[in-house]
Amino acid sequence: IAIGMETPGIFMDAVKTDISEFFTSTDSTYDVVLESEQLKLVSNIKHSHCDCGGVMEHTCDETIEWTALTVDTVLEDGGHYYLIEDLNRQIKVPENATIYLCLNGHALTSGGRLFDTISAGKTLNVYDCGLSGTAHSRNDNNAPVALVNGGTLNIYGGSYSANAITAENKNGGVLMAMNDGVINFYNGTITGGNATGMGGCVYITNDAQFNMYGGSVTNGISAKDGGTIAIAGNAKFTMLGGCVTEIGRASCRERVCA
């Protein structure tokens, strides 16, 4: 059966058995696949770009093909994944693993923490070759987009935001690093964080590091110190480029830094 859709996507629900082999797409650039009991048309065009995300004038040693990320995709150490459509799921890096994720211009959302705790031994690299990708936490459980607890988060692009935190004394409205965790922010936007504790957008504590090479961190609001970025507990913030709102004020006015 030939399937043609003006906007490729889901065309059959409640499919208990894989019957995708009985369908074909009228567009050769799409395949029929079964995911979460839904038959859908999915692009078969291969996605590739260098790991560096095209920033900081890094040289690409090789071009790697990336795997389409769905709600059912099992993340594996060294895996390269990209969004083919807007997606609602949590990203959980396996123990002692490194994951590469490209937003590819789409929206990645989650009710709770979008990037599950990145503990020691874990590394998550996030890119956005589509230039309009977003990562957003709805904060159903008052958790930021990412908690880097001893691991490493490298951000090369995309826009990161979260709904306002409502629980009392919660730090880090969008990103939080602690216990020697490291966030390297090369490009993108961190914006609109609202914390009831410290650090409307970013909170770093307990010997953690936030290294900023470009991009912007803006419009953070906090009930306590660090309207946009709060630094505590021997943590270190290094800014080599980009722009940020004033640091250390509960009420922020934008101040461009370079």
Side-chain angles (χ1 to χ4, degrees):
I1 301 174
I3 303 295
M5 303 177 69
E6 184 175 344
T7 303
I10 299 167
F11 65 86
M12 188 180 296
D13 287 310
V15 181
K16 303 297 183 181
T17 304
D18 189 356
I19 55 174
S20 58
E21 63 181 300
F22 299 106
F23 298 86
T24 59
S25 172
T26 57
D27 184 338
S28 62
T29 63
Y30 287 86
D31 293 330
V32 178
V33 299
L34 176 66
E35 294 176 355
S36 301
E37 299 186 354
Q38 296 174 323
L39 282 177
K40 60 172 66 176
L41 295 182
V42 174
S43 174
N44 57 30
I45 298 176
K46 294 179 179 179
H47 180 87
S48 62
H49 60 67
C50 60
D51 278 347
C52 69
V55 301
M56 300 292 291
E57 298 181 351
H58 292 184
T59 300
C60 299
D61 295 326
E62 59 181 328
T63 298
I64 299 172
E65 292 183 1
W66 297 53
T67 300
L69 181 71
T70 70
V71 293
D72 299 319
T73 302
V74 177
L75 304 183
E76 298 180 353
D77 182 23
H80 293 68
Y81 306 94
Y82 74 105
L83 270 63
I84 55 175
E85 59 186 357
D86 293 349
L87 186 64
N88 181 57
R89 69 161 285 174
Q90 185 184 62
I91 302 300
K92 186 173 183 178
V93 180
E95 294 297 324
N96 299 312
T98 298
I99 296 295
Y100 304 84
L101 173 66
C102 180
L103 299 174
N104 194 31
H106 293 288
L108 182 63
T109 60
S110 175
R113 184 172 294 128
L114 183 60
F115 303 141
D116 196 20
T117 303
I118 304 172
S119 54
K122 298 181 180 181
T123 299
L124 176 62
N125 302 288
V126 188
Y127 313 87
D128 179 32
C129 64
L131 303 180
S132 59
T134 61
H136 180 77
S137 171
R138 295 191 301 275
N139 257 338
D140 295 348
N141 58 357
N142 293 291
V145 170
L147 170 60
V148 184
N149 187 2
T152 301
L153 172 63
N154 298 313
I155 295 176
Y156 296 92
S159 178
Y160 302 81
S161 62
N163 288 359
I165 291 175
T166 56
E168 294 184 2
N169 297 316
K170 288 287 186 177
N171 302 319
V174 182
L175 302 179
M176 179 175 176
M178 60 190 297
N179 300 329
D180 296 305
V182 177
I183 299 174
N184 294 311
F185 186 58
Y186 295 97
N187 201 5
T189 302
I190 304 170
T191 187
N194 193 328
T196 53
M198 297 188 292
C201 285
V202 179
Y203 177 69
I204 48 176
T205 187
N206 294 353
D207 300 302
Q209 298 179 48
F210 180 58
N211 302 312
M212 186 173 179
Y213 301 92
S216 62
V217 187
T218 63
N219 301 324
I221 298 173
S222 65
K224 298 182 179 179
D225 290 336
T228 296
I229 300 174
I231 308 160
N234 295 318
K236 183 178 180 181
F237 171 48
T238 302
M239 185 175 182
L240 300 175
C243 64
V244 66
T245 56
E246 286 189 356
I247 302 170
R249 293 174 181 259
S251 177
C252 294
R253 298 184 302 276
E254 185 139 357
R255 179 168 61 91
V256 176
C257 304

